[in-house]
Amino acid sequence: MAQIKSDERIPARMPSEVYEKIVEAARLTGATLNQFLVQAALEKADNVLERERVIHLSRKAAEMVFHLLDHPPEPNEVLKKAAARRKYEPPCPK
């Protein structure tokens, strides 16, 4: 059976009490220490990324957003002036 060689390493130093706790948790889940650490880090990364990328709205706020998308207000003078100052730049061909 061929072994998969990982591309990246993450060294970590920690107090022995923390290490022992992580080793025990890994053992209880039936994972190696490396598997446990990677899975735990991945779960934490997923949580952080979701928190930063997903906007949670109440039903009322979501309805307001959808209404504004379907029925945008007329542009005010500030927006009209800003649009007039902006030069149109056609997209670059690939």
Side-chain angles (χ1 to χ4, degrees):
M1 177 182 231
Q3 281 190 329
I4 298 173
K5 187 173 183 178
S6 71
D7 295 334
E8 304 293 335
R9 296 182 64 83
I10 302 174
R13 296 187 189 280
M14 63 193 81
S16 60
E17 303 84 37
V18 172
Y19 177 80
E20 290 168 9
K21 183 184 266 188
I22 294 171
V23 167
E24 181 180 1
R27 184 182 56 76
L28 290 171
T29 62
T32 66
L33 179 59
N34 187 62
Q35 291 168 333
F36 185 83
L37 289 172
V38 169
Q39 185 60 38
L42 185 57
E43 288 174 13
K44 181 69 172 184
D46 285 342
N47 290 339
V48 169
L49 292 172
E50 180 179 355
R51 185 179 69 232
E52 293 299 317
R53 293 178 178 168
V54 176
I55 299 172
H56 297 278
L57 299 173
S58 67
R59 178 178 293 278
K60 184 176 179 179
E63 288 171 359
M64 181 184 295
V65 168
F66 291 130
H67 175 78
L68 289 170
L69 288 172
D70 290 338
H71 306 93
E74 292 295 320
N76 61 22
E77 289 306 312
V78 174
L79 183 57
K80 289 177 185 177
K81 288 178 184 176
R85 286 191 308 266
R86 178 161 168 73
K87 277 198 325 191
Y88 173 73
E89 297 177 18
C92 297
K94 290 185 178 182

